[in-house]
Amino acid sequence: QTVVTQEPSLSVSPGGTVTLTCGLTFGSVSTKYSPSWYQQTPGQAPRTLIYTTNTRSSGVPDRFSGSILGNKAALTITGAQADDESDYYCVLYMGDGVWVFGGGTKLTVL
Amino acid sequence: QIQLMESGRGVVQPGGSLRLSCTASGFPFTTYGIHWVRQAPGKGLEWLSFIRFDRSNEYYADSVQGRFTISRDNSKKMVYLQMNRLRAEDTAVYYCAEDANWALHFWGQGAQVTVSS
């Protein structure tokens, strides 16, 4: 069974840069999986940040960027701010009408 | 503006059924697919199901295949998730979300479903 992997937790200093990744237990992530990224704070619905690998959703600050790094999808936050402290999820389109979420990364800004 | 809103939240006994509804507004509903996603307490997001804009295909995660059914009524701009044979592990907040570019774009605020005796 395909599992989408994410770092369980990461931390970044205010103003710093952090990269979250999204991989597969078997195989490499490429643009064909149309990786997308979501931010969620406790008690709130997810907010879409990035879709089709590197396209920012409307209203998303340009300090958020998406890419493919090696064999994983990546979300990079440049110039982290306190309110970036959230849970971040990636999702991959596996084809045949099936999407799979990663387990999520809890980002701490300190 | 684009809005999605889930309804039908409730408490149901194990083995019971519940139907969630997702009402959409602010976008050309008949041209977009809709997803259902859930989040169990303290857990991550889990994709459940997707229905194409024209109802031509429906897709399910293995965890709900055969128990849950997605459907839509384009005349009412609504999507439904019929959940049967519910289990304790189905307890979660259920979200509907609009699909575009193979991603989930706009999300509802979620509906709590609790399966408990």
Side-chain angles (χ1 to χ4, degrees), chain B residues 68-83:
Chain B
F68 290 12
T69 302
I70 192 171
S71 61
R72 65 189 292 162
D73 184 335
N74 283 347
S75 67
K76 297 181 178 178
K77 296 186 179 180
M78 294 188 72
V79 174
Y80 306 98
L81 187 68
Q82 176 67 42
M83 303 183 292

Side-chain angles (χ1 to χ4, degrees), chain A residues 7 10 28-29 49-50 62 71 83 101:
Chain A
E7 298 86 1
L10 289 171
S28 299
V29 177
L49 297 175
I50 301 286
D62 60 8
N71 62 350
D83 61 3
F101 278 93

